[in-house]
Amino acid sequence: MLDGGSRWRIALDTDRSWSDGRPLLAQEVADAVVHALARGSSAATHFLSGPDADSGKARPVRVVGADTVEFSFVRPVAFASALLSLPAFAPMRRSSYGHRAPVLGDCAVTHWDAEVVALERRTGSSSHGAFDAMRFEHVPLAADAVRRFHEGDLDATSPTGFGVAEVAELEGHPGAVHKPVEIFGSLDLGRQAPRAWLASAEARRSVSAVLDRNRLGTVTAGLAESWRWPIIDALGAGAPDGFADDSVQRCAALGVDGPLDIAYSAFDPNAEIAEEVAAQLRAALGIEVRTRELSFDAYVRASTTRDFCLLYSLTTPAFSHPAGSLSDWHSTGRAARRSGLRDPVLDTALDAAESCHDPAEADRLWACASNRWCTLLPKIPLVRVRAWYLRGGCLSGLEVSQAGLLRLEAG
């Protein structure tokens, strides 16, 4: 870290190579950043300085040695290592982009289409992996994946796609693995939501307090679990992980008439969660609450335009550091502009957190920004996702990352 976090230098691991055996070059790391800026990647454009060196700004990235790259940031940051681990900054070779182009690592892509991706380990590879070849196949139906796993045709399944029925059958299965991941389900309030619910964070906490999250875990057979904001204690009364004695009365006092509409995307177990939330709101408030399934494209459009009443949505951090989720909510950020959120207090908190180069102090400042964001955003947290998948004995080390992805290097 240089200049108080305004510049960072990284030294490449000289043992890394491409799948054709050619060593990784520092220029290929720099090319990835230039490409990310040209594509308008929010992570690149928000944190790195502009690409126009003639404007007097520092270059966003430059090669300063055979195996060393230097990055310049718009403001000092304490989280460069987390930021630069994003896929947007993965090294790239500009010579070719076809599916047979070299990839970073010891395996080359030998086949790639909509149904199958195949890799083979390079001859003379320095890696000591257990397999010479790997094949990834798209299996549309979870039931078929389970059957083929039992028949020995698959060594592992994806940690997505299992529904309530499959998970219920897999309970206690020796090959079944499950763990909570950093993916969270919330009830979003859109432009058609009741004005009283949108009026304040306190109103949203009143609505939140009438929902029994433990039931959401039950109806999903463990694909979801009750979840509370990590900083909910700082938000005061109406915490979303239990019932207050007067929670129904306080929510009813907001004066909302039905019908209400809860939309959700057509993936398991979204329907079960939306139906359970609707049933609880009907029972608590005595109003009509309906559910509506959306195609994935329609769900994305609704999320972008906010043109809905209530929406069950999933959120995952862009990366493990809060900056990946929160910085875009600065009033100048894309997420804030899209939702119409402009809050000077949040802007000040984000400015302070982003400008701090002391990691220990930055953690405290990011927590302050998180607190403010949680009180402002028209969202009611519901559940944390639990990923389920099957793995055979030959892949006993295969784990799922906090983002819900299989960590193949661990397998």
Side-chain angles (χ1 to χ4, degrees), residues 282-356:
R282 284 190 213 105
L285 304 179
I287 60 177
E288 182 180 359
V289 185
R290 305 176 299 216
T291 62
R292 179 166 54 96
E293 182 181 275
L294 301 178
S295 68
F296 181 71
D297 288 344
Y299 165 77
V300 171
R301 284 195 300 272
S303 299
T304 302
T305 62
R306 311 296 297 174
D307 189 20
F308 57 84
C309 177
L310 306 174
L311 178 73
Y312 175 70
S313 67
L314 293 175
T315 303
T316 181
F319 62 108
S320 58
H321 197 278
S325 302
L326 298 182
S327 285
D328 211 25
W329 288 94
H330 194 286
S331 59
T332 59
R334 186 180 307 170
R337 294 197 309 271
R338 189 172 62 210
S339 65
L341 176 67
R342 298 183 63 87
D343 181 66
V345 176
L346 178 60
D347 287 350
T348 300
L350 288 172
D351 286 340
E354 290 177 347
S355 300
C356 180

Side-chain angles (χ1 to χ4, degrees), residues 163-376:
V164 174
E166 289 82 19
V167 168
E169 292 178 4
L170 291 174
E171 185 66 46
H173 188 288
V177 184
H178 53 92
K179 63 176 285 189
V181 294
E182 297 293 306
I183 302 175
F184 305 100
S186 301
L187 191 64
D188 286 14
L189 281 62
R191 293 188 299 190
Q192 301 171 30
R195 298 296 98 187
W197 291 11
L198 291 168
S200 69
E202 179 59 38
R204 292 191 290 279
R205 289 200 296 273
S206 296
V207 179
S208 178
V210 304
L211 298 174
D212 181 357
R213 284 152 178 77
N214 292 325
R215 279 287 305 158
L216 299 179
T218 300
V219 300
T220 60
L223 280 166
E225 59 184 29
S226 175
W227 184 72
R228 66 203 301 260
W229 289 118
I231 48 80
I232 198 64
D233 292 335
L235 300 183
D241 60 339
F243 291 91
D245 291 338
D246 63 344
S247 57
V248 174
Q249 291 86 344
R250 286 191 291 111
C251 186
L254 296 173
V256 173
D257 296 323
L260 300 179
D261 179 82
I262 303 178
Y264 61 92
S265 61
F267 292 100
D268 292 324
N270 294 354
E272 286 84 353
I273 292 176
E275 290 289 353
E276 177 62 26
V277 171
Q280 292 188 26
L281 289 177
R282 284 190 213 105
L285 304 179
I287 60 177
E288 182 180 359
V289 185
R290 305 176 299 216
T291 62
R292 179 166 54 96
E293 182 181 275
L294 301 178
S295 68
F296 181 71
D297 288 344
Y299 165 77
V300 171
R301 284 195 300 272
S303 299
T304 302
T305 62
R306 311 296 297 174
D307 189 20
F308 57 84
C309 177
L310 306 174
L311 178 73
Y312 175 70
S313 67
L314 293 175
T315 303
T316 181
F319 62 108
S320 58
H321 197 278
S325 302
L326 298 182
S327 285
D328 211 25
W329 288 94
H330 194 286
S331 59
T332 59
R334 186 180 307 170
R337 294 197 309 271
R338 189 172 62 210
S339 65
L341 176 67
R342 298 183 63 87
D343 181 66
V345 176
L346 178 60
D347 287 350
T348 300
L350 288 172
D351 286 340
E354 290 177 347
S355 300
C356 180
H357 64 271
D358 176 6
E361 176 64 8
D363 287 344
R364 183 187 69 80
L365 294 173
W366 279 109
C368 292
S370 298
N371 291 355
R372 184 63 182 177
W373 182 80
C374 287
T375 64
L376 291 172

